[in-house]
Tab-separated table of all heavy atoms in Angstrom:
chain	number	residue	atom	x	y	z
A	990	ASP	N	-2.238	32.227	-113.650
A	990	ASP	CA	-1.855	33.629	-113.785
A	990	ASP	C	-1.880	34.331	-112.434
A	990	ASP	O	-1.015	35.168	-112.135
A	990	ASP	CB	-2.801	34.326	-114.762
A	990	ASP	CG	-2.495	35.820	-114.901
A	990	ASP	OD1	-1.449	36.139	-115.479
A	990	ASP	OD2	-3.301	36.645	-114.420
A	991	TYR	N	-2.863	33.970	-111.602
A	991	TYR	CA	-2.980	34.556	-110.258
A	991	TYR	C	-1.739	34.231	-109.420
A	991	TYR	O	-1.162	35.109	-108.763
A	991	TYR	CB	-4.242	34.019	-109.599
A	991	TYR	CG	-4.527	34.577	-108.226
A	991	TYR	CD1	-5.126	35.814	-108.070
A	991	TYR	CD2	-4.206	33.847	-107.087
A	991	TYR	CE1	-5.393	36.323	-106.809
A	991	TYR	CE2	-4.462	34.348	-105.826
A	991	TYR	CZ	-5.059	35.582	-105.690
A	991	TYR	OH	-5.312	36.088	-104.441
A	992	LEU	N	-1.293	32.977	-109.476
A	992	LEU	CA	-0.100	32.573	-108.729
A	992	LEU	C	1.149	33.273	-109.245
A	992	LEU	O	2.035	33.656	-108.472
A	992	LEU	CB	0.080	31.054	-108.800
A	992	LEU	CG	-0.956	30.202	-108.060
A	992	LEU	CD1	-0.666	28.725	-108.277
A	992	LEU	CD2	-0.961	30.522	-106.570
A	993	LEU	N	1.236	33.440	-110.570
A	993	LEU	CA	2.391	34.128	-111.147
A	993	LEU	C	2.445	35.580	-110.683
A	993	LEU	O	3.529	36.115	-110.402
A	993	LEU	CB	2.334	34.058	-112.679
A	993	LEU	CG	2.686	32.710	-113.297
A	993	LEU	CD1	2.431	32.744	-114.803
A	993	LEU	CD2	4.136	32.342	-113.015
A	994	ARG	N	1.284	36.230	-110.604
A	994	ARG	CA	1.258	37.624	-110.159
A	994	ARG	C	1.694	37.741	-108.699
A	994	ARG	O	2.371	38.697	-108.314
A	994	ARG	CB	-0.144	38.213	-110.348
A	994	ARG	CG	-0.422	38.608	-111.806
A	994	ARG	CD	-1.756	39.324	-111.948
A	994	ARG	NE	-2.866	38.380	-111.895
A	994	ARG	CZ	-3.946	38.539	-111.158
A	994	ARG	NH1	-4.070	39.592	-110.366
A	994	ARG	NH2	-4.919	37.647	-111.181
A	995	ILE	N	1.331	36.751	-107.895
A	995	ILE	CA	1.796	36.746	-106.501
A	995	ILE	C	3.305	36.546	-106.459
A	995	ILE	O	4.041	37.261	-105.769
A	995	ILE	CB	1.078	35.649	-105.690
A	995	ILE	CG1	-0.407	35.980	-105.541
A	995	ILE	CG2	1.716	35.500	-104.314
A	995	ILE	CD1	-1.196	34.899	-104.834
A	996	GLY	N	3.796	35.559	-107.227
A	996	GLY	CA	5.223	35.266	-107.241
A	996	GLY	C	6.062	36.412	-107.777
A	996	GLY	O	7.187	36.651	-107.315
A	997	ASN	N	5.520	37.138	-108.748
A	997	ASN	CA	6.264	38.251	-109.346
A	997	ASN	C	6.142	39.543	-108.550
A	997	ASN	O	6.780	40.550	-108.879
A	997	ASN	CB	5.755	38.507	-110.778
A	997	ASN	CG	6.117	37.364	-111.716
A	997	ASN	OD1	7.092	36.656	-111.486
A	997	ASN	ND2	5.315	37.180	-112.757
A	998	GLY	N	5.311	39.513	-107.512
A	998	GLY	CA	5.155	40.698	-106.685
A	998	GLY	C	4.278	41.765	-107.285
A	998	GLY	O	4.308	42.923	-106.837
A	999	THR	N	3.482	41.401	-108.300
A	999	THR	CA	2.615	42.392	-108.943
A	999	THR	C	1.185	42.341	-108.419
A	999	THR	O	0.374	43.192	-108.784
A	999	THR	CB	2.594	42.181	-110.470
A	999	THR	OG1	2.139	40.848	-110.754
A	999	THR	CG2	3.988	42.373	-111.056
A	1000	LYS	N	0.867	41.370	-107.572
A	1000	LYS	CA	-0.463	41.287	-106.982
A	1000	LYS	C	-0.549	42.245	-105.793
A	1000	LYS	O	0.367	42.318	-104.973
A	1000	LYS	CB	-0.766	39.848	-106.533
A	1000	LYS	CG	-2.083	39.657	-105.812
A	1000	LYS	CD	-3.253	39.938	-106.715
A	1000	LYS	CE	-4.567	39.743	-105.964
A	1000	LYS	NZ	-5.727	40.175	-106.759
A	1001	GLU	N	-1.646	42.987	-105.718
A	1001	GLU	CA	-1.821	43.927	-104.619
A	1001	GLU	C	-1.786	43.210	-103.277
A	1001	GLU	O	-2.418	42.164	-103.094
A	1001	GLU	CB	-3.150	44.662	-104.776
A	1001	GLU	CG	-3.399	45.706	-103.701
A	1001	GLU	CD	-4.738	46.400	-103.876
A	1001	GLU	OE1	-5.416	46.137	-104.900
A	1001	GLU	OE2	-5.101	47.187	-103.000
A	1002	THR	N	-1.050	43.744	-102.328
A	1002	THR	CA	-0.905	43.120	-101.017
A	1002	THR	C	-1.519	43.988	-99.931
A	1002	THR	O	-1.809	45.165	-100.135
A	1002	THR	CB	0.581	42.881	-100.685
A	1002	THR	OG1	1.266	44.145	-100.684
A	1002	THR	CG2	1.231	41.965	-101.701
A	1003	ILE	N	-1.689	43.381	-98.761
A	1003	ILE	CA	-2.202	44.076	-97.584
A	1003	ILE	C	-1.042	44.237	-96.612
A	1003	ILE	O	-0.495	43.231	-96.116
A	1003	ILE	CB	-3.352	43.295	-96.931
A	1003	ILE	CG1	-4.479	43.035	-97.940
A	1003	ILE	CG2	-3.875	44.012	-95.699
A	1003	ILE	CD1	-5.551	42.101	-97.439
A	1004	GLU	N	-0.623	45.429	-96.351
A	1004	GLU	CA	0.496	45.720	-95.451
A	1004	GLU	C	1.758	44.987	-95.873
A	1004	GLU	O	2.571	44.573	-95.037
A	1004	GLU	CB	0.122	45.367	-94.013
A	1004	GLU	CG	-1.048	46.179	-93.470
A	1004	GLU	CD	-1.400	45.813	-92.046
A	1004	GLU	OE1	-0.796	44.862	-91.514
A	1004	GLU	OE2	-2.290	46.465	-91.482
Side-chain angles (χ1 to χ4, degrees):
D990 177 70
Y991 182 81
L992 291 178
L993 285 173
R994 281 186 283 133
I995 293 176
N997 292 334
T999 58
K1000 176 65 180 173
E1001 182 181 354
T1002 60
I1003 304 171
E1004 298 180 355

